[in-house]
Every structure is written in structure tokens, then in C-alpha cells.
Amino acid sequence: MRSRWWLMAVSLAASGSQAQTNGWNMPVGVTDVSSDIYGLHMTIFWICVVIGLVVFGAMFYSLFRYRHSKGAKAAHFHEHTSVEVLWTAIPILILVGMAVPATATLKNMYDSSDAELDVMITGQQWRWRYEYLGEDVAFTSNMSTPRTQISGEETRGEHYLLEVDEPLVLPINRKVRFLMTSDDVIHSWWVPDLAVKQDTIPGFINENWVKINEPGIYRGQCAELCGIDHGFMPVVVRAVEEEEFDSWLAERKEAAEQEAMGVDREWAMDELVERGESVYQSICSSCHQAEGQGSPPAFPALANNEQLINDVDWHLDKVVNGVSGAAMPAFRSTLNPVEIAAVVTYTRNAWGNDTGDVVQPSAVAELIAQ
Amino acid sequence: MAPKLPPQPPLQHNTTAVADGQSHGHAAPPKGILRWLLTTNHKEIGSLYLIFSLTMFFIGGIFALVVRAELFQPGLQLVEPEFFNQMTTMHGLIMVFAAVMPAFTGLANWMIPLQIGAPDMALPRLNNFSFWLLPVSFTLLLSTLLMPGGGPNFGWTFYAPLSTNFAPPSTTFFILALHIAGISSILGAINIIATILNMRAPGMRLMDMPLFVWTWLITAFLLIAVMPVLAGVITMMLMDINFGTSFFDAAGGGDPVLFQHLFWFFGHPEVYIMILPAFGIVSAIIPTFARKPLFGYASMVYATAAIALLSFLVWAHHMFIVGLPLVAELFFMYSTMLIAVPTGVKVFNWVTTLFRGSISFESPMLFALAFVVLFTIGGFSGLMLAIAPADFQYHDTYFVVAHFHYVLVPGAIFAIMAGVYYWLPKWTGHYPNEKLAQWHFWFSIIGVNLTFFPMHFAGLAGMPRRIPDYALQFADFNLLSSIGAFFFGASQLLFVLGVILCVRGGKKAPAKAWEGAEDLEWTVPSPAPLHTFETPPVFHRTSH
Amino acid sequence: MWSVVKSVLAALLGVQSNQKREEDFSSGRPAAYLVTGMVITLLFVLMLIFLAMFAAR
């Protein structure tokens, strides 16, 4: 064991500041908090190494020096109060020394005041929804790694399982407050480089914050077991310069307004099907599968589903209000009327479901308003 | 606990124990299966517990190997995520409740009466009942894997609402199984406390008891304190699932975090339940093979009590990232860090016991020494996890998986194996094959480190636990872990072989099988006859 | 009384000379040790809570 500790100590010392990228230690990260945490981590680690060297050193020395086979005669001493006081007192002092900086870091982590931007993060089985509060910009972020890579039919890409269709975009150098909750089970939003890991709990709102120092793309994952696709729920944050963020946000805002206006107009079937297909692939296909075949019994097939084909109101109701007691969530507040109308139209006209039905966004908006 | 006892003469217990279904002269026990179903003998029940535990160890181990096989390389090759989750869950449940805990109870059954000079456990029929509840409970639990919708898939910590509103229908059976196992544990604990407090040999005071007895006494109190909490929390789940309550459902005014508080108020003492008896075993073995009394007997007892006490004050360190208030985070960080002190006292005591001893390296000693080193490594990562800010990075990663496997596998399980090799001569009358045991040891220690050491790195690099597939940068660590796991699993067959060979024959062991062994169990013949200490021995104070 | 407190504190830290322990076990009443132990444990918890509250300010 001793040699293992040495090996680790030496190689750690050798790697030094490259720890951020070497892939086997905690990342230093790109925020002040994350480098504080890294500092605490390395301090406590080296304390453990030193204690380990002393204790295991004494142990292996004794094992070697006092071997029965070499004729060692056992002494018969036991109990020595001052030694015992010493080995109680020294650990206490070390712990106090460790607790002081840890307390300071923790207090800093808990201070989410004076944030310049609020982002609501909602965990859903199995995607993240981001909402820029007060900006009318919201979207969901799904894993974009194709299932064919998971099954091995296709070569796995560089960011296998850690890539999404729409990353969370954040500005650097601004304090961003996260408000975190969940629509179903407990998830945990984690990006190692930002040192933010916080449970998202249904019915409760947790707070955390981040102030990123460097632009870049930072990847993480859901850290709390949340069901079948827990392993396929990545987080990607794209941190950009302030100006770039401002223009990105303005652009998204405009697009959102346009979409909101689109509710009132009459949509053509082609438009809806095209839009619906992209919604389906990002939201629905993780359970109901790419070709609508589902995976019964938990996730019913949509293709050739008699009940679905025969009853458009029932179909719409399930998408808007969910199925209680089953995995199907209500999408009334997470998708907008255009998206719901599009995806319902798409599923009613794909994979041999040739109903020819067109559901208009205005009808969906009416249903939600009821 | 009157210190100045002349303990009650255990004679009266002796008669009650023997009177159970048998006449005074030990009539021939029933033959065949009935003998084992009806036995009230602590040695036979102890053996039943140990055999049950070993069986479950292999079943839980196979589940772990399914997990490791899937994680051998990136991508989904062997199992679906749904089944993967069932395997991680079942592995945890079986190992905790059906392998480690019954193994310690089995050792307690065998050794506590022998170590305190009692003829049997205080409540022999209850003892039989507590054992036979276990096969019922775990047959039920395992059968959920065959039910429609599959078995439990929400992790051994079964956090609500994943385990309530979103759980498979079999969850109700899971709850029932856990209730039965919990009753078994509570009854076993009551029996052990009754035995230790009432049936010690005349002249043996509490502070004269071997440490295995002491640690089990404290463990038994922990069990009685927290098993009802587990029963409470699973009953609340049952109500949420079947009777429309909303204890853990925010939509009905409940609180999912309440579940975690209740679970970990049980769960943290539970992890000490799985390690304190291990401390006792190691504290028996190290002095024996160092041929030198334990350095600080009293401080070992006090440290065990302190650890047990602190275990009720630290539960929320499992919940540093659920959004506790700052004050709570600080309180639980401080109290958790304090556990390092009594734990350190124990390690220092073992090391000082070795200092200037006369040390030999038989298989029990090898396992005990490996315990000290590897458990301490697990303690170090535990100390790191106690630092709340850093825990925001460690939490729910493979770093945590590495940590608790270091304290449970080369911790609890190595201690159990050390105990088995140590006491096998007493049980069977034969020494285990030393060469085989040494092979088992070296294979195990290589396997265990190869499996669990890389997990530290995978976790620090960012791999969450309980995922069936992972990003490419974790591939090397997982490859090593999987190879190590299969190596470790296969080498446990040597253990089974060693035990079977030892039961069937081998070098004859005298009453005092190990030169440096001091406790009362070494005064009865090897193998220990079915009935021992029918007249209480006179206890002579040694050098504690 | 003071000797009881001292013994309990020593037990909490896990340090106590054998001689002192023999004294305690042959002279003291167990109830006194139990009550003192519980009171000191309670004080210890309160102390930790106050420490945490103080640190959190």
C-alpha cells in the first residue's frame, strides 16, 4: 500500500497544474468557487497522504521489524494516557484547520445575492428545461448522441453521451443565479468545471449560482438516479462573452415572440409535420422510440395505435395533461401551443398513421387556456 | 449496567435453553431438514446464518458482475438500462441486508456465547425465528425480479418519488421483504443484548468482555434504534403507493427530502452496524497474532461508543446537495469530521498493538492487516467527503462508490473472512488449508484494489454513479474495474473451497488453536461440542 | 461529582487510565455516569449547533 501512495504522490506532483485536463483528478474549473473547491480537495488529500505515510509507515515498520519468524519477543505494554491524548488532540487540530477554509468556501457558495441573470433549471425525465426568467426565453435541452452510437452500430463521437441539441448559453463575468426544480423525480444538475451540483426536487426550488471566468463549452451529467435514461441526460453549458450573450438572448427573444404570434394563424399540414418531427425526435423519441414503436409495457407504441388513431381529442388530452400514474408527463407548460399542435399532427400522420388530421395551434392554445 | 456485578448464575438460563423441545439429557435432535428448521442451538443457527450469508454474497456478487460486465466498455451491449438499474439496486440491497448483516449475526450467534461463557443465546426460539425470517424475506425480494415490470430499480437508497409514484408495481413486495428483514434484525439484536447483559460467566464484568462482544452490544443497540425508522419510512412509502397519502409527494403537500432525512437517519447508523463488529473481529485477531495485548482496550470500547453516538448526528452529510440551509450544512460537516477522531483512535490502537509485538502472518492476520490499511484508505476518502464544499463535486460520483466499497469490501467483508479463518478451527476442529487461504488472500487483495481504486479517479474525473453507459474518457478506469471485479469474484470460489475442505478434514486443531489467543472460546474443545459451558466457567481476569 | 464528569469526558475522548477506570467501576453509581453522559452529549450537540450558527453568520 505504501508504494501505491508514493506512486500517486509522485505522479501527482509531476502532473501539477495540468490536473485540469488530465482526466483523473477533480477539474480546477473555470469559476472562483471551483478553484477554491479544488484547493480544499487537494489540501485534504495531501493531509490524508501525510497521515497515511506516518500510520502505514509505523505499521509496516512494526510488521517487518517484529516478525515472530525472526524471533521477536512480544513486549507487554499497553495503555499510555499521554500518547492517547496526543493522538486524539492532533487530529482535532488538523480538523479545525480544515474546517475554517471549508466554512468560508461554503458561505461563499451559499451567497447567491446580487445576481444579474436568473435561470430556471427544470429536470424532466430525461432532459433539462432552461428558462431565462423575465426574458421570455425558454427551451429544452436533450441528449443529441444518436441511439445508433450507443448500440455500437455507428462509431462513437468525441463527446459521446455529453452532447445536447441546445446547450444552456451563459455570459462570462456575470453572476448567474440558478433556480432549480423538477417536474417528476429528483434529478441533479452537475457541471464539474463550474463546481455546481444541485438536486432538482419536484415541488421545491433550490438555489445555486455561478460566475464563469472563461468562455468555453462545459459538459456534465445528471448526477441523481432518475429512472431508465438517467445515464443519458447530459448538461452542456456554452459560456460566451457578454456582448455575444446579449445578442444571442435578443435573437432568441425575437424568435419566441414570432412563435407566440404564430399561434393565431392557420398552419399548413406540411409546416406542422416538419416542425412536429423535430419536436418528436427531441422530446418523445426517448420513450416512444424513433419509429413510434414504443417499448411496451412502460411506453406504448404510437404507430398503429388504434385508440390514438380513432380519437384526436383523447390524443391531444394525453399530450397536454399527461397520464397520471404513468411516465407520460403533461406538456401544457413545457411545450408551447405550436409545438404541441405540430407534434400531435406529426404523430397522427407518420409511420402509417394516415389520419390526415391537422391540429391547429390556436385550438391547442384554447384547450390549455381552459 | 451494574459494574459491581456478581453476574447472576446462568444456570437457570441453561435449563430454559435446554428445555426447549428437548429433555434435559439432550435427546437426539430431529433428523434431516427438520433438525435445521427447528434447531434452537446457537451454533447451528450461527452456521445457518453464515451459509445463508455466503449464498447471498454470491448472488449479490453475480448482480455486481452483470453491472461490471455492462460497464466493461462504453455503449450498451448486454443489458437494457432498465435491467441495469435493477441489478445495481439488488446488488446493494442483497449485499447490505442479506450478506454483510447476516454474516455478522452468524458470527455473533456462534461466538458471543462462547466468548462470554454462556451455554446458548438467551432466547433460543426467538433466535430460530429471526433466522428463518431471512430466507422468506429475500426469496420474496429476489422474486420481484420475475414480476411484471421488474424488480426494484431505484437504487438501494430508494429515494422517493422515484420509488413511489414512479416505481414498478413490485415495490410493494420489496417493502414487505424489507419489513421482514428488519424484524429479523431487531429480534436478533434483542437476543444479543439479552445474552450479553444476563449470561456472562461469573466474574466477567462488562469491561472484561472481548471487544467482539462489546462492539456487537453497541451494534445491537444501534439496530434497535434505527430499524424501526427504516420500517417507518418504508411504511410511509407503502401508504403513498397504495393508500393515496402524500408523505413524499410535493403535489399533495409532502416533501421528497423528508424521505432522505428519514432514510439516512436509519442509513448512517446502518453503515456503522456493518463496520463496528468488524472492528471487534480485527481487535481480537491482531493481538492474537502479535502475541501482545491490545494497546488500549478501554479506549477501543469508548471509541466504539463514541462512533455509535456520533452516527446519529451525521445523517445529512449524505444530503449536502439537496439544498439544506447553510447552518445545517455546517453542523453536519463539523459532526462528520469529528468521526475521524474516534476512528483514528482505533487505527492508532491497532498499529500500536503491532509495535514491539511478535508478529506472524497466518491467513486471519493477513486479512485483518489488509482491513486496517484498506479501511483506513476508505476512511481517508470519507474524510474528504466530509468537507461539504468539496462534496458538491464528489457527491453521487464513482468517488463515493470507491469510498463505500473500500470500507465495506476490504472493510466489513475482509473482517468477516478474517473471522471465519480465525474461528474455523473452533467450528470444525480442523485448520483451514493455509496455502489455499493465502492464495485466496492475495487474489482478493489484488482484485479488490484493481476493482475499486480506479473508481476514485473515474469519480473525480466526473463519472456519476448508477449509469449504464459512460462517456469515452472514463473507459480505461471502467475497463480496469471490470477486470478487477471478475478477478475478485472468481477468487472468492477459493474461499468456498477452503471452507468446504476445512469442514471435511484437515490438520487437527487443539482447543487453543492459535498460540496467542486468549478469550474463553479457546478453552472449549475444537470442534466445539454442540453444548458448551453447561456449567459456567470461572472467569479469570487477564490483562485487558 | 467532578470525578464523574472527568471520567465521562475521558470516555468521550477515549482516554482513561486503567487505574482510574478500576476506581470508577468499583466506587461510582452507574446511574450517575449515565445521566452525566447524556447531559454532556446534549451539551456537545448544542455546542455544535451554536458553532454552526455562529459560523453561518
Side-chain angles (χ1 to χ4, degrees):
Chain A
M1 264 314 91
R2 196 166 39 164
S3 60
R4 183 190 288 287
W5 281 105
W6 270 115
L7 193 77
M8 229 163 88
V10 169
S11 44
L12 241 168
S15 66
S17 62
Q18 294 149 28
Q20 188 180 354
T21 48
N22 66 13
W24 55 279
N25 194 3
M26 183 189 286
V28 178
V30 291
T31 69
D32 293 348
V33 168
S34 73
S35 60
D36 284 352
I37 289 178
Y38 176 80
L40 286 172
H41 160 68
M42 291 315 288
T43 313
I44 188 75
F45 169 73
W46 285 114
I47 288 174
C48 289
V49 169
V50 171
I51 297 174
L53 286 177
V54 172
V55 173
F56 298 148
M59 180 172 166
F60 280 86
Y61 169 78
S62 302
L63 291 181
F64 185 76
R65 174 78 174 68
Y66 305 109
R67 277 171 292 172
H68 186 62
S69 58
K70 296 286 175 234
K73 291 274 169 290
H76 264 266
F77 68 88
H78 57 93
E79 298 196 344
H80 190 292
T81 310
S82 44
V83 171
E84 293 182 45
V85 169
L86 205 65
W87 73 34
T88 313
I90 292 176
I92 291 180
L93 289 179
I94 294 175
L95 291 177
V96 171
M98 205 52 228
V100 171
T103 304
T105 305
L106 197 63
K107 282 172 79 169
N108 185 21
M109 291 165 75
Y110 263 71
D111 179 16
S112 58
S113 59
D114 302 325
E116 294 173 64
L117 175 69
D118 284 344
V119 178
M120 183 90 175
I121 298 176
T122 309
Q124 297 170 346
Q125 284 177 325
W126 292 273
R127 65 185 71 85
W128 298 100
R129 178 177 167 80
Y130 302 116
E131 190 177 349
Y132 294 76
L133 293 181
E135 308 284 352
D136 289 329
V137 174
F139 53 88
T140 54
S141 175
N142 299 273
M143 184 177 78
S144 59
T145 303
R147 298 267 149 179
T148 45
Q149 285 192 14
I150 296 171
S151 62
E153 294 156 52
E154 197 187 326
T155 331
R156 299 188 176 96
E158 186 191 355
H159 299 299
Y160 176 67
L161 298 187
L162 296 180
E163 52 203 347
V164 296
D165 51 0
E166 276 209 76
L168 174 65
V169 179
L170 292 178
I172 60 166
N173 297 333
R174 281 187 200 161
K175 188 164 180 177
V176 180
R177 184 166 67 144
F178 297 133
L179 299 165
M180 302 159 131
T181 188
S182 165
D183 282 345
D184 33 55
V185 301
I186 299 175
H187 304 270
S188 192
W189 194 86
W190 180 33
V191 180
D193 279 313
L194 308 184
V196 174
K197 183 190 285 145
Q198 192 80 57
D199 282 357
T200 67
I201 299 167
F204 291 79
I205 293 180
N206 275 333
E207 275 188 12
N208 210 314
W209 65 272
V210 73
K211 190 172 174 188
I212 304 170
N213 296 332
E214 286 168 39
I217 291 181
Y218 307 112
R219 295 168 198 276
Q221 277 178 276
C222 177
E224 181 66 62
L225 178 63
C226 55
I228 296 177
D229 279 351
H230 164 55
F232 308 108
M233 199 175 156
V235 177
V236 179
V237 173
R238 189 160 70 89
V240 297
E241 305 280 351
E242 290 103 309
E243 304 85 60
E244 192 185 340
F245 175 77
D246 290 336
S247 57
W248 174 86
L249 192 64
E251 212 173 279
R252 293 299 298 241
K253 237 166 142 168
E254 200 181 338
E257 274 162 23
Q258 292 230 318
E259 180 118 331
M261 289 195 305
V263 171
D264 297 328
R265 74 178 169 85
E266 189 86 354
W267 286 59
M269 176 135 169
D270 295 352
E271 271 184 296
L272 285 171
V273 166
E274 191 190 338
R275 185 72 205 274
E277 184 170 6
S278 76
V279 174
Y280 182 86
Q281 293 307 343
S282 81
I283 305 283
C284 316
S285 65
S286 62
C287 298
H288 293 292
Q289 306 302 320
E291 298 298 317
Q293 70 271 38
S295 53
F299 307 117
L302 303 183
N304 303 315
N305 179 325
E306 288 295 322
Q307 189 166 22
L308 179 142
I309 291 169
N310 293 338
D311 191 346
V312 61
D313 293 333
W314 177 87
H315 181 189
L316 192 55
D317 175 65
K318 295 304 161 214
V319 178
V320 170
N321 297 318
V323 180
S324 72
M328 179 76 183
F331 286 102
R332 60 187 314 143
S333 54
T334 49
L335 292 180
N336 65 39
V338 175
E339 288 166 327
I340 293 176
V343 80
V344 170
T345 305
Y346 170 71
T347 41
R348 298 191 69 73
N349 294 286
W351 330 295
N353 289 359
D354 299 319
T355 58
D357 292 342
V358 177
V359 177
Q360 286 298 335
S362 51
V364 177
E366 217 168 282
L367 183 72
I368 292 173
Q370 276 169 13
Chain B
M1 275 103 289
K4 263 201 306 189
L5 326 146
Q8 311 80 326
L11 215 71
Q12 66 208 42
H13 299 280
N14 191 0
T15 34
T16 31
V18 172
D20 281 339
Q22 300 171 12
S23 76
H24 207 86
H26 307 311
K31 292 272 177 279
I33 186 96
L34 268 191
R35 170 183 170 189
W36 295 102
L37 274 173
L38 301 178
T39 179
T40 53
N41 181 287
H42 74 101
K43 299 185 185 77
E44 292 183 340
I45 295 177
S47 300
L48 285 174
Y49 265 111
L50 289 170
I51 293 165
F52 174 79
S53 153
L54 186 61
T55 315
M56 287 296 158
F57 177 60
F58 275 89
I59 293 178
I62 288 168
F63 294 164
L65 292 183
V66 172
V67 169
R68 284 309 335 166
E70 177 54 55
L71 292 175
F72 182 68
Q73 48 174 293
L76 292 175
Q77 290 88 17
L78 301 171
V79 297
E80 289 298 309
E82 171 62 23
F83 189 68
F84 180 91
N85 287 347
Q86 292 177 33
M87 287 292 102
T88 53
T89 307
M90 279 294 192
H91 164 68
L93 291 169
I94 294 289
M95 287 302 194
V96 168
F97 293 102
V100 173
M101 289 172 71
F104 282 128
T105 317
L107 291 172
N109 257 288
W110 251 104
M111 300 320 299
I112 286 178
L114 286 180
Q115 288 197 320
I116 63 172
D120 204 309
M121 297 292 280
L123 310 158
R125 285 183 182 165
L126 193 71
N127 203 12
N128 172 292
F129 183 54
S130 353
F131 171 74
W132 284 108
L133 283 176
L134 285 181
V136 174
S137 160
F138 290 101
T139 308
L140 182 59
L141 183 63
L142 288 172
S143 73
T144 58
L145 286 175
L146 308 173
M147 292 180 187
N153 57 8
F154 28 65
W156 87 275
T157 52
F158 50 99
Y159 279 7
L162 187 63
S163 63
T164 54
N165 301 353
F166 295 81
S170 65
T171 308
T172 302
F173 292 98
F174 150 84
I175 291 171
L176 183 59
L178 227 51
H179 264 308
I180 298 173
I183 293 169
S184 161
S185 291
I186 292 174
L187 296 182
I190 290 173
N191 208 343
I192 285 167
I193 292 175
T195 308
I196 296 174
L197 293 186
N198 294 312
M199 296 179 65
R200 295 191 305 282
M204 181 187 272
R205 302 172 311 181
L206 284 174
M207 287 307 268
D208 297 324
M209 299 190 308
L211 266 167
F212 180 64
V213 180
W214 250 119
T215 51
W216 241 116
L217 180 65
I218 293 169
T219 302
F221 276 107
L222 284 182
L223 276 168
I224 290 183
V226 300
M227 283 321 240
V229 180
L230 173 70
V233 72
I234 57 180
T235 305
M236 288 156 92
M237 278 173 63
L238 186 77
M239 306 279 279
D240 270 12
I241 294 171
N242 296 306
F243 304 118
T245 59
S246 305
F247 288 109
F248 308 128
D249 183 0
D255 182 354
V257 180
L258 173 67
F259 174 91
Q260 298 184 26
H261 281 293
L262 291 171
F263 179 83
W264 286 114
F265 190 78
F266 147 77
H268 202 78
E270 166 70 20
V271 303
Y272 292 148
I273 286 165
M274 292 189 284
I275 203 67
L276 294 184
F279 291 163
I281 295 170
V282 170
S283 303
I285 291 173
I286 287 182
T288 297
F289 294 94
R291 295 167 179 79
K292 181 164 165 284
L294 195 65
F295 176 75
Y297 169 82
S299 54
M300 279 299 219
V301 173
Y302 292 145
T304 310
I307 292 175
L309 206 67
L310 283 172
S311 74
F312 289 104
L313 301 175
V314 297
W315 76 90
H317 68 215
H318 299 270
M319 305 163 55
F320 277 148
I321 66 160
V322 300
L324 297 176
L326 178 59
V327 178
E329 297 261 323
L330 290 172
F331 175 85
F332 286 106
M333 175 168 78
Y334 299 154
S335 58
T336 304
M337 289 167 82
L338 279 176
I339 289 189
V341 176
T343 315
V345 165
K346 287 191 157 293
V347 175
F348 299 145
N349 264 307
W350 289 321
V351 172
T352 324
T353 305
L354 293 171
F355 182 67
R356 295 183 57 202
S358 174
I359 302 162
S360 55
F361 299 93
E362 287 87 345
S363 47
M365 182 64 160
L366 286 177
F367 275 100
L369 293 174
F371 170 93
V372 173
V373 174
L374 298 179
F375 172 78
T376 305
I377 291 179
F380 285 148
S381 53
L383 186 55
M384 296 171 78
L385 286 159
I387 310 293
D391 186 67
F392 276 76
Q393 292 281 43
Y394 303 138
H395 187 92
D396 265 336
T397 67
Y398 262 80
F399 190 77
V400 178
V401 178
H403 160 70
F404 67 73
H405 279 97
Y406 259 85
V407 292
L408 282 176
V409 183
I413 289 176
F414 272 25
I416 291 166
M417 285 169 174
V420 169
Y421 282 124
Y422 183 57
W423 285 312
L424 262 177
K426 183 54 60 190
W427 300 340
T428 66
H430 311 120
Y431 285 101
N433 182 326
E434 185 61 24
K435 190 155 266 172
L436 194 61
Q438 301 252 353
W439 278 105
H440 171 224
F441 171 76
W442 289 109
F443 279 172
S444 293
I445 201 145
I446 293 169
V448 104
N449 284 297
L450 191 58
T451 311
F452 299 117
F453 212 82
M455 289 185 182
H456 290 113
F457 302 126
L460 290 175
M463 179 168 166
R465 60 193 285 208
R466 294 167 169 167
I467 55 174
D469 191 8
Y470 46 83
L472 301 178
Q473 67 262 37
F474 310 127
D476 295 346
F477 301 129
N478 278 286
L479 181 87
L480 287 176
S481 284
S482 289
I483 293 173
F486 277 87
F487 189 71
F488 180 75
S491 51
Q492 297 322 303
L493 295 172
L494 295 179
F495 178 64
V496 180
L497 182 65
V499 171
I500 292 174
L501 288 179
C502 183
V503 171
R504 296 167 66 103
K507 202 175 109 197
K508 287 264 175 290
K512 185 172 169 177
W514 309 106
E515 186 192 336
E518 297 290 351
D519 295 321
L520 273 181
E521 74 261 35
W522 306 109
T523 63
V524 302
S526 299
L530 199 56
H531 299 278
T532 40
F533 294 129
E534 287 174 276
T535 43
V538 180
F539 178 75
H540 297 290
R541 200 149 298 136
T542 48
S543 47
H544 279 154
Chain C
M1 181 63 203
W2 175 236
S3 112
V4 176
V5 174
K6 243 168 60 181
S7 291
V8 171
L9 285 177
L12 270 182
L13 286 176
V15 292
Q16 176 79 302
S17 69
N18 215 18
Q19 191 193 347
K20 181 76 171 60
R21 184 163 57 79
E22 291 291 338
E23 268 170 43
D24 291 341
F25 270 77
S26 51
S27 63
R29 278 180 305 124
Y33 288 91
L34 286 179
V35 171
T36 317
M38 282 181 215
V39 170
I40 289 186
T41 306
L42 201 69
L43 285 178
F44 169 75
V45 174
L46 286 176
M47 188 197 77
L48 264 189
I49 292 175
F50 279 118
L51 187 68
M53 281 166 64
F54 173 76
R57 272 195 306 131

